[in-house]
Amino acid sequence: MNMREIKSTMTGTVLQVKVSVGDKVGASDELAILESMKMEIPVESQGTGVVKEIKVNEGDFVDEGDILIILE
């Protein structure tokens, strides 16, 4: 089984989680939106897969490199 971790590329707040466990995602699909300094930054999938686990909730504060979502 090949697991891929989707990590935060910046420090900020999780504004929206756009997927649920079990969702199939494609390359460049928006998985979540982070907010930092009043800017909204989309978090996109780097490839295809199925959402196995969501490690954050909307409103959570994350640091750069934190794992947001795990795909398989």
Side-chain angles (χ1 to χ4, degrees):
M1 224 180 299
N2 184 17
M3 301 288 186
R4 285 191 307 279
E5 297 173 338
I6 307 300
K7 297 181 180 181
S8 176
T9 57
M10 54 178 271
T11 299
T13 303
V14 179
L15 194 62
Q16 185 178 11
V17 177
K18 300 184 88 170
V19 293
S20 300
V21 172
D23 286 356
K24 292 180 182 175
V25 297
S28 299
D29 284 357
E30 277 190 9
L31 305 179
I33 297 176
L34 301 180
E35 188 270 329
S36 180
M37 298 184 295
K38 303 200 191 251
M39 292 178 52
E40 294 183 11
I41 293 87
V43 177
E44 297 180 347
S45 174
Q46 304 303 307
T48 60
V50 176
V51 177
K52 178 173 176 56
E53 189 175 352
I54 298 170
K55 307 281 276 179
V56 294
N57 295 302
E58 292 177 2
D60 286 355
F61 183 82
V62 295
D63 287 316
E64 183 175 344
D66 285 355
I67 298 169
L68 306 176
I69 297 169
I70 298 176
L71 301 179
E72 67 175 357

